[in-house]
């Protein structure tokens, strides 16, 4: 079973899929963005020149939909200042200068094996650990995980899907986690199941990762806590890892437009998030590091790294051998939904799963030509809307028509732009349209 | 690290195809029919094809100059229009009429609406319609293919020079054959069988590109395999035409021919694969494509069976073109998750 639409870009994962996740040397300076996720922006709890220790809480927000921030290293708060943000342009960040005695943080997978026991942890303990660790959806959306795993008696969760698709080309960090941190991911999944009292756990994996499927199958058989988890092998198709598409493919259910998966009793969590949950609950360790893929034809030695959040993209690139001479584009994230950065001092956030570097040959030199109404964007649209109609309405400043054609339903996956033979930036127009509508409704400042 | 970085909205990769590559595929799909036309109509086919293609391109360049727009010859849409227009003209048509038809197709059919993508009507059909209105006589004078066997009935064979021997098109012949009430039934059937055999390979009178059923099928299947066109429109056109013809044939077999004869003749195939599938003038949605295709097929059969014209493709396509924006509106897509509660 699969969802309707979607596209088949070359997955280009061979560049880095053989590279194990390596911890990186501690960078001299980290910039922890105060806005890393959906929800309330954090307020700093430290002042300039304060000393901080690794794992110390440095920013928090009272709002329910939010996640606290922790320092990844021992060091001194150098400043709280504007810094370039991958999505927001410039935003406030806590800048920490790390002290010399820091050792690189090692990932924890060795602590998890088939004998891991979830019994000692109560649902409340798990929820508190996740909330206090500042875990957010690490697949890219950045929705605070504590909100998702808070049991709601009105809408109980009946199915949990662990998103192990990694459908974006080039990115391999989730894949590496799946084969290196298998038990940790399964432990995280089991812990989510326990907080929500839900035993229906699916692991959705694209069929282009047969070894990961095999490893998971073996691990599920071996680990008592994972008994009953089901592997859902899925078509290799972009955006298979999109929440709505994944739910459609695994459970054949549609998430209502404008709604969220809990409305139909489903929770989706990325493998990295599951691993972070296991770490937070079992090790009491906050989310300060994550696996990041550095790949693309513009990078000398592609690889997968375990990097502290707040590390500058440029430093990570240096660790991967640096940029090739013909590199022209650095993307934070994958090529389909990632954000091109102009400034290599942009720091990693909790949602940055990859740095993709493109050369002159990879980038698209778009010169928009006339739409020939071929309908390929419609055929490729995973949520069945009419991208060309919406894009042209936005272009001609007819926002009411754009809304009539369900502008707001767009998930911004980029399939329409990818497939458009006339090289029209359909996704770009639709994103612009959403911003214009928000301004019109005064939901967003000008 | 002094590289200047490019910044643009996502996605940062795209599929390697373009309007040009799509149009090139259509041209390739039309090649078998072009070869068939060269075989059957020899120099006449060369003259008509060349004059249509060249004049379409020249008119496109002139229009772009007047509009002070960038040259759009590269997208090959003018070439496609030229070929389809030529394919829908009889081989005997003089080159100057081809030029007039091409001019109307490109200037009025396409450019006045704003160029490729903005036109309402299929440019080639608009051009042909203009020629039918202006030079009705020329448009129904059919030459006998160079390879035609001598048993086929010829019209006016004795009175004119061999170069201009004409013959009615298969559909015309069949209409005549069926009207002839005195002839015995099996003789009629034998005649029709002979006509059908010639239609398959294309050795029959008709417009340049419509005669060879096999060549058109090869080209059409190529386009469907390449996913250049959606299979829905061809299936809908042929399906609805078949059903209409089948019903008519069942009701009155003495008056109407078998449905497969209709499918193989009079340009229904070129229409189904190359004309009705013109993306610009067909609906965008799948449901819309079904309605559009079914409409083209049904209108064609209505014109053929009830109307005075033996062929009805051109009018059927133009009529359906005019309602395709409406069809799009009525087949508006609903998001996978249902309508939002706003």
């Amino acid at each position: 079973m699969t969802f309707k639409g979607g596209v088949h870009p070359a997955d280009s994962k061979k560049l880095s899929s053989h590279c194990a996740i390596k911890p990186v040397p501690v960078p001299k300076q980290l910039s922890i963005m105060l806005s890393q996720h959906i929800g309330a922006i954090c307020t700093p709890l430290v002042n300039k020149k304060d000393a901080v220790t690794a794992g110390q809480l440095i920013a928090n927000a009272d709002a329910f939909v939010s996640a606290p921030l922790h320092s990844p290293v021992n060091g001194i708060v150098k400043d709280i200042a504007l810094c370039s943000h991958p999505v927001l342009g410039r935003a406030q960040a806590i800048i920490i200068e790390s002290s010399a005695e820091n050792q690189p943080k090692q990932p924890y997978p060795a602590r998890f094996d088939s004998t891991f026991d979830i019994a000692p942890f109560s649902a409340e303990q798990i929820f508190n650990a996740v909330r206090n660790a500042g875990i957010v959806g690490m697949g890219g959306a950045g929705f605070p995980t504590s909100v998702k795993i808070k049991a709601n008696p009105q809408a109980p969760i009946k199915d949990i899907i662990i998103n192990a698709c990694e459908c974006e080309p080039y990115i391999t960090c989730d894949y590496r986690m799946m084969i290196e941190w298998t038990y940790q991911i399964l432990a995280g999944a089991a812990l989510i199941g326990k907080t929500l009292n839900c035993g229906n756990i699916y692991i959705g994996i694209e069929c282009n990762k047969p070894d990961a499927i095999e490893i998971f199958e073996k691990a599920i058989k071996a680990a008592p806590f994972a008994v009953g988890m089901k592997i859902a092998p899925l078509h290799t198709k972009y955006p298979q890892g999109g929440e709505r598409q994944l739910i459609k493919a695994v459970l054949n259910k549609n998430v209502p437009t404008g709604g969220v998966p809990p409305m139909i009793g489903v929770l989706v969590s990325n493998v990295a998030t599951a691993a972070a949950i296991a770490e937070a609950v079992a090790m009491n360790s906050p989310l300060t590091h994550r696996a990041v893929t550095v790949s693309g034809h513009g990078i000398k030695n592609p690889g997968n790294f375990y990097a502290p959040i707040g590390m500058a993209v440029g430093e990570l690139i240096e660790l991967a051998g640096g940029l090739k001479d013909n590199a022209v584009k650095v993307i934070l994230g994958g090529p389909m939904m990632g954000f091109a950065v102009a400034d290599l001092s942009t720091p990693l956030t909790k949602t940055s799963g990859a740095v993709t570097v493109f050369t002159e040959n990879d980038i698209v030199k778009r010169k928009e030509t006339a739409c020939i109404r071929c309908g390929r964007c419609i055929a490729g649209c995973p949520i069945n809307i009419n991208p060309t109609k919406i894009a042209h309405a936005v272009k001609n400043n007819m926002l009411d028509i754009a809304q009539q054609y369900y502008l707001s339903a767009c998930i911004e996956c980029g399939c329409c732009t990818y497939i458009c033979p006339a090289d029209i930036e359909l996704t770009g127009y639709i994103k612009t349209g959403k911003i214009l509508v928000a301004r019109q409704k005064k939901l967003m400042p000008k | 690290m002094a590289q200047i970085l490019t910044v643009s909205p996502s996605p940062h990769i795209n599929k390697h195809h373009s309007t040009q590559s799509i149009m090139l595929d259509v041209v390739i799909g039309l090649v078998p029919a072009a070869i068939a036309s060269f075989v059957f109509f020899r120099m006449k086919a060369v003259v008509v094809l060349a004059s249509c293609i060249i004049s379409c391109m020249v008119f496109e360049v002139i229009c772009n100059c007047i509009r002070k727009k960038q040259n759009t010859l590269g997208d090959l849409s003018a070439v496609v229009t030229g070929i389809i227009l030529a394919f829908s003209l009889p081989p005997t048509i003089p080159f100057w009429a081809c030029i007039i038809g091409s001019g109307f197709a490109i200037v009025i059919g396409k450019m006045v609406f704003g160029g490729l993508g903005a036109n309402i009507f299929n440019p080639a059909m608009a051009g042909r319609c203009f020629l039918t209105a202006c030079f009705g006589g020329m448009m129904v004078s059919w030459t006998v293919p160079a390879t035609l066997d001598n048993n086929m009935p010829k019209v006016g064979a004795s009175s004119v020079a061999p170069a201009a021997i004409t013959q009615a098109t298969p559909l015309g012949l069949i209409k005549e054959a069926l009207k002839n009430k005195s002839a015995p039934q099996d003789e009629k059937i034998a005649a029709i069988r002979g006509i059908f055999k010639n239609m398959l390979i294309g050795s029959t009178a008709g417009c340049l590109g419509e005669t060879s059923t096999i060549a058109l099928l090869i080209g059409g299947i190529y386009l469907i395999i390449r996913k250049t066109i959606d299979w829905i429109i061809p299936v809908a056109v042929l399906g609805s035409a078949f059903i209409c013809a089948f019903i008519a044939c069942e009701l009155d077999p003495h008056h109407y021919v078998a449905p497969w004869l209709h499918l193989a003749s009079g340009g229904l195939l070129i229409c189904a694969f190359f004309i009705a599938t013109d993306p610009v003038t067909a609906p965008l949605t799948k449901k819309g494509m079904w309605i559009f295709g079914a409409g083209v097929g049904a209108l064609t059969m209505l014109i053929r069976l009830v109307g005075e014209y033996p062929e009805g493709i051109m009018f059927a396509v133009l009529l359906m073109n005019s309602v395709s924006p409406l069809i799009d509106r009525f087949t508006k897509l609903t998001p996978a998750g249902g309508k939002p509660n706003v």
Side-chain angles (χ1 to χ4, degrees):
Chain A
M1 201 179 333
T2 186
F3 61 94
K4 191 188 142 289
V7 293
H8 298 91
D11 73 3
S12 311
K13 290 185 192 277
K14 284 227 169 69
L15 285 172
S16 58
S17 61
H18 58 283
C19 307
I21 302 172
K22 280 198 302 217
V24 302
V26 177
K28 284 206 180 62
Q29 186 177 306
L30 296 172
S31 317
I32 320 280
M33 305 299 319
L34 289 171
S35 176
Q36 304 237 355
H37 48 73
I38 292 170
I41 297 171
C42 290
T43 338
L45 302 174
V46 288
N47 294 310
K48 213 167 154 177
K49 292 184 183 157
D50 281 1
V52 290
T53 55
Q56 183 187 330
L57 183 69
I58 53 170
N60 205 350
D62 290 332
F64 180 57
V65 183
S66 189
L69 294 171
H70 304 79
S71 173
V73 292
N74 299 320
I76 291 173
V77 177
K78 193 182 163 199
D79 204 356
I80 297 172
L82 283 176
C83 183
S84 63
H85 186 284
V87 186
L88 302 174
R90 289 180 82 71
Q92 287 285 339
I94 300 175
I95 299 165
I96 296 172
E97 207 157 67
S98 68
S99 49
E101 80 278 13
N102 274 309
Q103 290 300 315
K105 186 187 172 192
Q106 301 290 329
Y108 285 108
R111 309 269 193 98
F112 296 89
D113 58 19
S114 59
T115 61
F116 181 77
D117 189 9
I118 60 167
F121 309 105
S122 73
E124 203 187 338
Q125 262 177 319
I126 299 169
F127 171 79
N128 287 335
V130 168
R131 166 83 206 193
N132 294 336
I135 297 174
V136 302
M138 290 162 82
F143 193 79
T145 306
S146 59
V147 179
K148 291 208 306 201
I149 64 164
K150 175 96 181 156
N152 174 4
Q154 262 96 58
I157 298 293
K158 294 185 217 88
D159 302 282
I160 293 168
I161 304 174
I162 299 299
N163 188 347
C165 292
E166 197 168 57
C167 57
E168 274 257 8
Y170 293 94
I171 309 183
T172 55
C173 60
D174 283 4
Y175 164 75
R176 288 309 306 184
M177 266 188 262
M178 284 183 245
I179 58 174
E180 292 177 42
W181 305 2
T182 320
Y183 286 109
Q184 187 176 341
I185 293 167
L186 291 177
L191 290 166
I192 301 173
K194 187 159 182 192
T195 51
L196 295 166
N197 194 19
C198 166
N200 264 343
I201 302 176
Y202 299 88
I203 297 167
I205 311 184
E206 274 191 351
C207 287
N208 63 350
K209 307 173 190 69
D211 41 346
I213 294 179
E214 205 175 301
I215 287 170
F216 267 119
E217 267 169 0
K218 275 191 197 143
I220 288 173
K221 276 196 196 117
F225 67 84
V227 167
M229 290 191 194
K230 287 169 278 262
I231 306 260
L234 303 167
H235 285 261
T236 306
K237 180 161 89 167
Y238 179 86
Q240 188 64 265
E243 197 168 60
R244 286 158 187 277
Q245 288 64 48
L246 184 62
I247 293 171
K248 176 76 185 164
V250 176
L251 302 170
N252 196 22
K253 282 183 189 168
N254 281 314
V255 179
T257 303
V260 288
M263 289 165 72
I264 53 166
V266 182
L267 178 141
V268 178
S269 183
N270 173 265
V271 285
T273 319
I277 290 171
E279 202 177 300
V281 175
M283 310 290 148
N284 214 4
S285 156
L287 175 58
T288 56
H289 286 64
R290 68 159 297 150
V292 184
T293 301
V294 183
S295 187
H297 300 109
I299 205 95
K300 283 185 186 142
N301 308 312
N304 295 296
F305 299 93
Y306 190 61
I309 283 147
M311 185 175 182
V313 168
E315 275 186 76
L316 203 51
I317 288 172
E318 286 309 306
L319 287 173
L323 295 178
K324 285 186 190 164
D325 291 339
N326 56 355
V328 291
K329 200 178 208 178
V330 175
I331 303 155
L332 201 48
M336 292 300 285
M337 284 187 85
F339 296 89
V341 294
D343 182 354
L344 290 181
S345 72
T346 307
L348 296 178
T349 67
K350 290 177 182 176
T351 55
S352 320
V355 176
T356 313
V357 183
F358 274 178
T359 65
E360 193 69 48
N361 302 329
D362 301 317
I363 62 166
V364 183
K365 292 177 205 72
R366 285 206 181 81
K367 208 174 131 265
E368 185 176 311
T369 55
C371 171
I372 54 166
R373 292 167 40 88
C374 64
R376 281 170 175 76
C377 52
I378 294 178
C381 180
I383 49 153
N384 199 37
I385 54 172
N386 190 332
T388 173
K389 191 89 190 169
I390 301 172
H392 284 89
V394 172
K395 198 175 170 182
N396 295 315
N397 208 13
M398 298 188 290
L399 289 179
D400 48 335
I401 292 187
Q403 282 169 282
Q404 277 167 27
Y405 281 86
Y406 311 111
L407 166 81
S408 61
C410 175
I411 58 166
E412 303 175 15
C413 63
C415 287
C416 48
T417 312
Y418 171 82
I419 209 164
C420 179
D423 285 337
I424 303 170
E425 286 273 12
L426 296 161
T427 321
Y429 280 117
I430 295 174
K431 285 185 195 171
T432 310
K434 283 182 170 179
I435 295 170
L436 293 176
V437 169
R439 277 182 193 165
Q440 213 175 43
K441 290 182 177 165
K442 305 226 160 72
L443 297 172
M444 199 188 244
K446 282 200 176 169
Chain B
M1 208 189 295
Q3 271 120 329
I4 294 172
L5 297 174
T6 315
V7 182
S8 69
S10 62
H12 307 282
I13 47 174
N14 72 351
K15 198 174 153 107
H16 293 288
H17 64 180
S18 60
T19 303
Q20 185 185 27
S21 67
I22 290 173
M23 294 293 175
L24 187 64
D25 255 352
V26 177
V27 173
I28 293 170
L30 286 163
V31 163
I35 293 170
S37 75
F38 294 149
V39 170
F40 299 126
F41 301 111
R42 308 286 156 91
M43 271 319 283
K44 294 196 201 84
V46 177
V47 170
V48 174
L49 256 172
S51 50
C52 282
I53 295 172
I54 293 169
S55 52
C56 276
M57 290 166 78
V58 169
F59 280 114
E60 176 126 339
V61 170
I62 294 172
C63 286
N64 279 326
C65 286
I66 295 171
R67 294 169 71 219
K68 298 196 172 61
K69 296 263 168 154
Q70 216 169 10
N71 187 8
T72 50
L73 266 190
D75 64 28
L76 296 180
S77 64
V79 176
V80 172
T81 300
I83 297 176
I84 291 182
L85 176 64
F87 277 11
S88 65
L89 296 176
T92 44
I93 196 152
F95 75 94
W96 52 264
C98 293
I99 295 172
I100 293 173
S102 306
F104 190 88
I106 295 293
V107 180
I108 309 295
K110 185 164 99 175
M111 286 316 211
V112 293
F113 290 99
L116 180 66
N119 48 305
I120 296 169
F121 296 106
N122 185 312
M125 289 299 101
R128 188 186 195 270
C129 192
F130 183 71
L131 289 179
T132 311
C134 296
F135 316 107
M138 264 183 225
M139 297 294 286
V140 289
S141 109
W142 314 103
T143 327
V144 175
T147 54
L148 190 69
D149 65 58
N150 290 320
N151 301 331
M152 292 296 290
K154 295 181 181 68
V155 179
S158 55
S159 60
V160 270
I165 290 174
T166 57
Q167 177 206 17
T169 63
L171 278 183
L173 282 176
I174 291 163
K175 242 185 180 173
E176 287 305 310
L178 288 168
K179 268 186 198 159
N180 186 358
K181 295 230 165 64
S182 61
Q185 190 64 20
D186 46 339
E187 207 170 272
K188 275 192 214 169
I189 289 168
I192 290 169
R193 279 226 179 106
I195 295 166
F196 185 64
K197 213 175 98 193
N198 282 319
M199 276 158 62
L200 274 186
I201 49 166
S203 173
T204 176
C207 297
L208 269 193
E210 70 179 31
T211 57
S212 174
T213 305
I214 289 170
L216 288 169
L217 273 177
I218 293 170
I221 289 165
Y222 167 80
L223 289 189
I224 290 176
I225 290 172
R226 292 273 298 164
K227 295 202 172 146
T228 304
I229 58 170
D230 208 301
W231 57 271
I232 294 175
I233 291 181
V235 169
V237 170
L238 297 175
S240 79
F242 183 88
I243 291 167
C244 294
F246 182 78
I247 292 169
C249 185
E250 285 297 301
L251 288 178
D252 186 358
H254 294 285
H255 201 174
Y256 300 113
V257 293
W260 37 267
L261 264 172
H262 273 292
L263 292 199
S265 69
L268 198 60
L269 281 173
I270 190 175
C271 163
F273 289 115
F274 299 97
I275 301 175
T277 52
D278 168 26
V280 177
T281 54
L284 275 164
T285 61
K286 296 222 177 328
K287 219 193 280 177
M289 287 178 191
W290 280 110
I291 299 173
F292 177 85
V296 170
L299 278 175
T300 304
M301 293 317 297
L302 190 72
I303 295 168
R304 279 188 187 178
L305 299 172
V306 184
E308 271 303 300
Y309 287 90
E311 342 229 326
I313 298 296
M314 175 180 76
F315 293 119
V317 169
L318 290 173
L319 279 169
M320 288 312 288
N321 283 165
S322 69
V323 293
S324 95
L326 262 182
I327 296 174
D328 260 342
R329 177 167 285 223
F330 284 116
T331 56
K332 194 170 97 174
L333 296 166
T334 316
K339 285 183 187 167
N341 305 316
V342 182

